[in-house]
Amino acid sequence: MPKTSQAQPAPPSYRYLFGPVASSRLGRSLGLDLLGGPICSFDCVYCEVGRTKLHTCQRRAHVPASRLVQELRQWFKEGHQPPDYITLGGQGEPTLNSELGTLVHQVRQQWPTIPIAVLTNSSLLHREDVQEELAEVDTVLPSLDTLVDTEFHHLNRPCTGVDLSRISQGLLEFRRRYSGKIFLEILLVHGINDTAENKNRLREFIAEFSPQRVDVVTMTRPGAFSEARPIPNSILRSWREALGACQDPVARSSAPETHTTSPVHLDGQAIAATITNSLARRPQTVDQLAFALNFARSDVAATLDALQNQGTVVVLTGTDVPYYGLASSERN
Ligand code: SF4
């Protein structure tokens, strides 16, 4: 059984680097925030980051590639167990960062054995420059919640000039020229895009798009607009079946057998700070936190109990497995 040094997870002092977090699709995913704030071409009603502050389709160096690489270098210098993926995402749409290509190239050169993933809302995928910049990436995770125009405007609230048919055409074009893996995600919100018309259109689209993986999910924490509500599990299951999606995307809530390094043992305060930092990025289960942060499960469970008692953490409802998230008073 291989052993690696008992490295500590990223301390909260990093500005753009976060995690690793447990991802059902990517394993232990070390995240980079390419925006540094809520900057997006959409302003989705379900967005966990909150309302978009800069609503734009213009690409700019929101965070310089050199700064992101510097934080990665620092993290690897600390001797952590390498992540399964370096994931480019953040508090908005990462392809809006005009230094995406430079960043991908430098990460590929400096850490050639670690796969790179990019999360995207697909709005810029029709662009030639974005398609070229993503060519070196191992996995692209585009989202496409609806193919019904009225639902798209209600749900995703795109900035002026974003056109749904151009997005779907851009995805198909990207699929033809990209040789890496594509994991498509569809997020359903009760009463908005959970319609039969959308399901039928998406089914036809997926048959042509033919991604390596499809995930149909719903909200696990409050969105930017109070009207946004998750759909029931029974509906989720029927959509997954209809679209050939993974039936259990939270399967990674149990730590996989390949996770063979010894758990990290820190003092209670350090564990609480690290867990709080990780939950600030996304809600997670006990097992996901233990897996991503390499803590003993018992330490994570005890710390979550304590954080719940002091009102820092809450249990989110609506899923079979309990997810923990930051209480609204603790979020930015
Ligand atoms: S695309 Fe993502 S980051 Fe942008 S508003 Fe929607 S959910 Fe938030």
Side-chain angles (χ1 to χ4, degrees):
M1 180 181 294
K3 298 261 189 243
T4 62
S5 61
Q6 294 193 350
Q8 296 182 7
S13 58
Y14 285 95
R15 181 144 177 222
Y16 302 109
L17 180 146
F18 58 94
V21 294
S23 159
S24 59
R25 297 176 289 179
L26 302 174
R28 281 179 76 250
S29 159
L30 183 64
L32 284 180
D33 177 1
L34 273 63
L35 288 317
I39 299 168
C40 197
S41 48
F42 290 177
D43 185 19
C44 302
V45 296
Y46 59 76
C47 186
E48 296 177 349
V49 174
R51 291 295 305 271
T52 296
K53 295 251 167 57
L54 181 57
H55 201 203
T56 181
C57 290
Q58 302 299 317
R59 305 189 77 202
R60 276 187 21 210
H62 294 288
V63 182
S66 57
R67 173 63 202 260
L68 294 161
V69 171
Q70 186 192 336
E71 290 204 4
L72 271 179
R73 261 199 224 115
Q74 177 62 33
W75 191 84
F76 281 101
K77 214 162 24 165
E78 288 167 5
H80 300 281
Q81 179 197 5
D84 296 327
Y85 266 93
I86 293 172
T87 303
L88 314 186
Q91 303 175 55
E93 172 49 36
T95 62
L96 284 174
N97 190 322
S98 55
E99 296 201 354
L100 173 69
T102 309
L103 176 65
V104 168
H105 193 62
Q106 290 187 5
V107 172
R108 170 59 73 236
Q109 279 193 324
Q110 294 189 39
W111 297 279
T113 58
I114 302 180
I116 304 170
V118 175
L119 305 166
T120 176
N121 66 14
S122 311
S123 60
L124 275 71
L125 270 187
H126 62 279
R127 290 178 57 136
E128 184 89 19
D129 53 352
V130 173
Q131 293 189 4
E132 275 168 18
E133 289 162 21
L134 293 176
E136 264 192 286
V137 163
D138 300 88
T139 305
V140 173
L141 299 96
S143 59
L144 180 69
D145 300 327
T146 178
L147 282 169
V148 179
D149 208 50
T150 47
E151 295 177 9
F152 174 58
H153 282 88
H154 187 175
L155 185 75
N156 300 118
R157 303 166 46 85
C159 63
T160 312
V162 175
D163 178 70
L164 183 56
S165 61
R166 197 165 56 170
I167 290 179
S168 56
Q169 284 309 311
L171 278 163
L172 293 172
E173 197 184 303
F174 179 65
R175 177 74 179 95
R176 283 191 283 275
R177 62 186 289 188
Y178 176 66
S179 58
K181 286 183 284 212
I182 298 181
F183 296 168
L184 180 70
E185 180 174 280
I186 297 152
L187 188 143
L188 297 176
V189 173
H190 178 68
I192 302 184
N193 63 333
D194 54 348
T195 59
E197 185 183 1
N198 187 30
K199 198 194 310 182
N200 290 336
R201 289 190 190 191
L202 282 170
R203 187 168 32 208
E204 279 174 28
F205 175 82
I206 288 167
E208 184 178 355
F209 187 47
S210 188
Q212 277 79 4
R213 174 177 171 145
V214 178
D215 287 273
V216 181
V217 299
T218 192
M219 301 168 63
T220 54
R221 66 186 284 184
F225 290 69
S226 55
E227 66 166 310
R229 295 258 179 273
I231 58 158
N233 279 336
S234 55
I235 308 279
L236 201 53
R237 276 195 288 274
S238 72
W239 270 71
R240 285 174 179 160
E241 208 173 297
L243 300 185
C246 294
Q247 269 300 345
D248 185 15
V250 293
R252 280 264 192 173
S253 62
S254 293
E257 287 172 14
T258 51
H259 186 53
T260 52
T261 53
S262 302
V264 173
H265 295 288
L266 301 177
D267 66 54
Q269 222 177 347
I271 292 179
T274 306
I275 287 177
T276 305
N277 186 35
S278 188
L279 291 180
R281 294 288 172 173
R282 64 156 67 176
Q284 290 164 80
T285 66
V286 173
D287 287 324
Q288 286 173 337
L289 283 164
F291 170 61
L293 302 173
N294 202 20
F295 288 155
R297 192 185 187 285
S298 53
D299 287 347
V300 173
T303 306
L304 285 171
D305 276 349
L307 289 170
Q308 243 187 300
N309 288 339
Q310 71 189 45
T312 307
V313 159
V314 291
V315 181
L316 305 171
T317 52
T319 53
D320 295 337
V321 186
Y323 272 73
Y324 294 82
L326 284 197
S328 48
S329 56
E330 302 292 325
R331 284 188 252 136
N332 293 331

